[in-house]
Amino acid sequence: RVHAEFILVILTLDEQIMGAVHGVYLKYVGLSALSYAGYVLLIGGAAAAASSSTNVSDRGLAATSAIALPLWRFVPATMLGYSAIVNGAIAVMFKLKRGMSIIGKSSETGAIPMWSYVVFFPFHLPSILYTHVHTKFGTAKVVLPSGEVTRQVVPVASEVQPGWWVGGCYANELNREWAGIIDQTVEFPESCVHQTKEYFLLPTWDGVPATPEQLEAAATFAVAARQHGDVLVHCAHGRGRSTTVMCACLVKAGLFPSWQEAFEVGIKPQRSVCKLNSMMKKNLTEWQATYFDGKKAQ
């Protein structure tokens, strides 16, 4: 019960601190805490027996049994303990905005090597399951022309401006050819790599925005690629990270004078699930001041 209450507090703080853009720092903390709770639950019985016994020999026997767990408890306990360590370490790297390359994703092909799935399975498995369910069954409020409010499944990608698309890692389901793709995931292989002329990997942890320097590099790439066809900017769900980069792209392309207008007018009406957390807004403001407004003033 204590662990359940702890997780509830974590998720509440997640909404208050980071906003509704999912996949944030405390998700990894929560996974680590849940894994640790399961680990303690599996090994706790034998440890409790060892500590409660009044007989010295019984204590020794119980302590030994706590170490020599039966296989059906040892295997899941080991996996949960490892999961607590892996997700805890990723939470630290998330906070430091470092370590994205540890997952091993290729900057050329967007592929993730098999060893990564083995070593980091506590990170990959929840990401894959959650994103699959969220993509297939996630809905958003939509206001129909009649004024009626309904809920519809969120498309895997949306054309927010002619030739400019924001989406998630399932955008390959559109079966489109792209002039350029900006991929911001570290957790998923690029599924559209054979459907694009140019590929730009900008690896970021889920919920962590690109830096102003990265935004400029991505926007420059996108504007050049747009001359040859449609451009797709995607993250895992097509909500936060991809929206941040698309704001910079639309401003860089001269479609909007500011990232705020690009977001409110150019993106949000066409893809209502798009959101920006405080870090994303901060980085966009710094990017515009340095690379757009600053250059116009020169």
Side-chain angles (χ1 to χ4, degrees):
R1 182 178 177 180
V2 173
H3 288 292
E5 292 176 351
F6 175 64
I7 298 304
L8 180 60
V9 170
I10 283 178
L11 294 177
T12 303
L13 287 174
D14 178 17
E15 289 294 321
Q16 294 176 350
I17 296 172
M18 297 297 292
V21 179
H22 48 271
V24 294
Y25 159 67
L26 291 173
K27 175 183 73 175
Y28 304 121
V29 177
L31 285 171
S32 181
L34 282 172
S35 298
Y36 179 71
Y39 170 79
V40 170
L41 183 65
L42 285 170
I43 69 169
S51 61
S52 63
S53 176
T54 57
N55 185 288
V56 175
S57 60
D58 287 346
R59 284 186 181 182
L61 181 62
T64 302
S65 66
I67 298 174
L69 293 173
L71 188 62
W72 67 271
R73 293 179 69 179
F74 174 77
V75 172
T78 301
M79 293 176 67
L80 286 170
Y82 182 63
S83 175
I85 294 172
V86 168
N87 283 296
I90 289 177
V92 172
M93 289 186 285
F94 178 105
K95 199 68 175 177
L96 297 174
K97 303 180 181 67
R98 296 287 186 273
M100 286 76 75
S101 61
I102 196 174
I103 301 301
K105 185 168 180 174
S106 170
S107 60
E108 296 182 0
T109 66
I112 295 178
M114 185 56 65
W115 64 258
S116 180
Y117 289 107
V118 174
V119 174
F120 297 109
F121 76 88
F123 166 72
H124 285 297
L125 186 58
S127 298
I128 292 171
L129 290 176
Y130 173 74
T131 300
H132 177 76
V133 172
H134 196 275
T135 300
K136 298 303 179 183
F137 304 104
T139 61
K141 289 183 180 179
V142 176
V143 180
L144 301 177
S146 62
E148 179 187 355
V149 178
T150 183
R151 299 193 71 88
Q152 296 181 357
V153 175
V154 179
V156 293
S158 306
E159 189 175 25
V160 295
Q161 292 296 305
W164 296 96
W165 294 72
V166 172
C169 61
Y170 281 79
N172 62 301
E173 294 181 0
L174 295 176
N175 293 317
R176 295 180 62 92
E177 295 293 324
W178 307 99
I181 289 178
I182 297 176
D183 172 12
Q184 293 183 261
T185 65
V186 297
E187 65 270 40
F188 297 106
E190 178 51 60
S191 55
C192 295
V193 71
H194 298 299
Q195 298 172 301
T196 184
K197 297 174 183 176
E198 300 291 339
Y199 174 67
F200 187 91
L201 177 63
L202 183 56
T204 53
W205 296 117
D206 195 359
V208 175
T211 65
E213 295 79 14
Q214 290 173 325
L215 286 172
E216 175 65 9
T220 300
F221 166 87
V223 170
R226 180 66 185 90
Q227 298 177 13
H228 306 287
D230 289 4
V231 171
L232 168 67
V233 180
H234 82 83
C235 51
H237 303 274
R239 300 193 176 211
R241 289 176 288 179
S242 54
T243 301
T244 307
V245 169
M246 182 56 77
C247 285
C249 291
L250 296 182
V251 173
K252 185 80 171 180
L255 298 178
F256 296 94
S258 68
W259 71 261
Q260 293 93 337
E261 188 171 338
F263 174 66
E264 295 293 346
V265 180
I267 300 174
K268 187 81 171 174
Q270 288 68 245
R271 190 171 176 85
S272 62
V273 295
C274 289
K275 295 181 173 114
L276 297 174
N277 63 28
S278 58
M279 290 193 300
M280 295 168 180
K281 294 176 182 177
K282 176 178 179 292
N283 285 7
L284 277 167
T285 299
E286 291 182 7
W287 167 80
Q288 179 151 348
T290 303
Y291 295 98
F292 192 73
D293 295 341
K295 287 186 177 180
K296 286 196 302 182
Q298 292 178 356

